[in-house]
Amino acid sequence: LITVFYPSGMLNPLIKLVRAVKERGITGTITQLYLIGDLKFGVLKGTDSFNNKYYENLDLPFGQHRWVEYANIHNYDASMIQPEWHGWMHHVFDETPNETIKMDHIATTSVSHAIYDTHVGKVVSSSDHQEQVDVSQYRQRGYKVGSLMTGTEDPDLYYKQPGHPLSEMADKGGRFKTNKGVTGWDPTSLGK
């Protein structure tokens, strides 16, 4: 029996598959293959308010060692990464939002007219956040069809121009409500 050792980042694909099924189950393995196209193993660094999971494996090459597994696997988008986690994902800082660092306040002036004491701006609680996705996902895909994000009877939640026939402004004098001085073409008038 010959034993072959692989570097931890380059496991034999069959060994990776067996390990993934053992750790995540068949559904979790297929989900990860669907989302990122690879089987990765790492330390769960945290979860954001939308239940996206953030992982890190320092044995993988730089740029591939941090990844996110989105909670909404059918309509995932990079804009769904919360601002708190964006800096960690892009190596702006190494601390996750869960690892808070106490920084001392440095007085820059003696008088401040800012409405916040820390000069960081308004920090919004996680309950005020809305999922940051492309709103076209909330558009109906056909008459009474719905989409992955909406039901068959839900209203469309995207902006429509005032001239759009389905716009609420169309009945209130939208762009094509009246055309001044234009009469419709009558095909019976050809022979006259």
Side-chain angles (χ1 to χ4, degrees):
L1 182 68
I2 299 173
T3 306
V4 178
F5 293 99
Y6 291 95
S8 61
M10 304 181 76
L11 292 175
N12 182 341
L14 187 58
I15 294 172
K16 284 174 74 171
L17 181 63
V18 169
R19 179 179 172 190
V21 170
K22 192 181 292 183
E23 289 182 14
R24 294 187 184 93
I26 260 306
T27 307
T29 302
I30 291 172
T31 300
Q32 189 179 41
L33 282 170
Y34 174 73
L35 284 175
I36 60 177
D38 193 8
L39 295 173
K40 290 186 174 185
F41 306 96
V43 178
L44 176 65
K45 298 302 273 186
T47 306
D48 65 13
S49 59
F50 300 133
N51 294 326
N52 297 325
K53 296 177 183 175
Y54 298 88
Y55 291 91
E56 182 175 40
N57 183 353
L58 296 175
D59 294 333
L60 293 174
F62 184 80
Q64 298 176 14
H65 68 284
R66 290 180 180 173
W67 68 95
V68 60
E69 289 183 1
Y70 298 101
N72 182 356
I73 65 170
H74 298 293
N75 289 310
Y76 58 92
D77 189 298
S79 67
M80 295 170 72
I81 296 177
Q82 293 298 294
E84 305 89 44
W85 285 95
H86 183 268
W88 179 79
M89 285 292 294
H90 295 280
H91 307 283
V92 174
F93 43 86
D94 291 327
E95 297 79 22
T96 65
N98 302 339
E99 304 166 355
T100 58
I101 295 178
K102 179 68 174 152
M103 300 185 85
D104 295 331
H105 178 70
I106 301 173
T108 55
T109 63
S110 59
V111 176
S112 175
H113 300 288
I115 57 174
Y116 303 107
D117 294 335
T118 58
H119 297 282
V120 210
K122 183 178 180 185
V123 178
V124 181
S125 68
S126 61
S127 63
D128 294 342
H129 280 298
Q130 207 176 10
E131 190 175 7
Q132 301 171 349
V133 293
D134 182 10
V135 292
S136 67
Q137 296 175 4
Y138 293 94
R139 183 176 182 176
Q140 301 285 330
R141 298 300 176 215
Y143 181 72
K144 301 289 185 190
V145 174
S147 68
L148 289 172
M149 304 294 282
T150 62
T152 57
E153 299 295 327
D154 293 342
D156 287 336
L157 299 175
Y158 65 97
Y159 175 76
K160 296 178 210 71
Q161 294 284 341
H164 191 279
L166 297 177
S167 172
E168 294 146 4
M169 293 292 294
D171 294 337
K172 298 176 184 168
R175 182 174 167 194
F176 300 112
K177 184 70 174 172
T178 58
N179 292 330
K180 296 179 182 175
V182 177
T183 59
W185 177 68
D186 183 13
T188 60
S189 65
L190 288 176
K192 297 179 183 178

